[in-house]
Amino acid sequence: MQNKLEQDIISTAESFVNNFSDKGNFDYSVQSLQKLDDILEELCEYQIDDDTLDSVSSMAGSYIFEVARRSYGGQYIWVQERDQPVLVTGEPEYSISIFAFDKVSGRIRNGKEDDIPYYFDGYIEAVEKGKNTGYRATIV
């Protein structure tokens, strides 16, 4: 059974898919994250206000979260201090956490140095390491 936070993230990810379907096939595959990164690269060229940045970070971040959850499982937890969700994969055997909203915001502000596919590859590597060793980490 889904909790409200999970429902909200799924719904927001679906909105991303619907709003950007003309930009690529957003099928929740790891490969589709390159198309998402291409969209964020385009946004780097514009001055966007904080509200727009928050909106884009929420939509694109929710899509990244859902790619991760659908591929590797996990649970969403609201982190009050950061005013955003985190996805925690692997509990209790291991624990790999990602803050996708922050990563999207960083990608728009900092450009290619916050490349989404590279970030996600780090998440995948950490999950694999966690499965084998009990590793615990937050991917930033």
Side-chain angles (χ1 to χ4, degrees):
M1 182 166 188
Q2 296 175 343
N3 64 33
K4 173 121 174 62
L5 179 58
E6 185 173 313
Q7 289 172 352
D8 288 348
I9 290 171
I10 291 169
S11 173
T12 305
E14 288 170 355
S15 292
F16 174 85
V17 170
N18 293 333
N19 287 326
F20 292 96
S21 61
D22 63 322
K23 299 281 188 183
N25 180 23
F26 294 102
D27 59 0
Y28 298 96
S29 67
V30 173
Q31 295 76 21
S32 69
L33 294 175
Q34 183 57 58
K35 286 288 182 198
L36 179 142
D37 194 68
D38 293 345
I39 292 168
L40 299 179
E41 177 67 21
E42 287 179 34
L43 290 174
C44 290
E45 300 170 17
Y46 300 96
Q47 286 284 3
I48 58 175
D49 60 48
D50 287 344
D51 287 343
T52 304
L53 182 63
D54 288 347
S55 178
V56 171
S57 296
S58 173
M59 286 183 71
S62 291
Y63 182 79
I64 294 167
F65 276 144
E66 276 299 286
V67 170
R69 189 184 66 81
R70 291 176 187 209
S71 298
Y72 298 97
Q75 248 188 322
Y76 297 115
I77 300 168
W78 186 258
V79 180
Q80 197 66 42
E81 305 81 48
R82 293 178 83 157
D83 195 31
Q84 65 181 293
V86 62
L87 176 66
V88 182
T89 301
E91 288 284 346
E93 293 80 20
Y94 62 96
S95 179
I96 307 301
S97 301
I98 58 172
F99 285 93
F101 291 12
D102 279 352
K103 183 48 74 171
V104 171
S105 177
R107 176 66 176 91
I108 294 168
R109 286 191 172 124
N110 303 327
K112 276 287 188 200
E113 74 182 57
D114 281 320
D115 181 79
I116 299 301
Y118 180 80
Y119 169 74
F120 204 83
D121 285 347
Y123 165 75
I124 293 169
E125 288 173 21
V127 168
E128 294 304 323
K129 183 176 179 180
K131 287 178 182 177
N132 295 324
T133 67
Y135 183 61
R136 304 175 93 68
T138 299
I139 309 303
V140 292

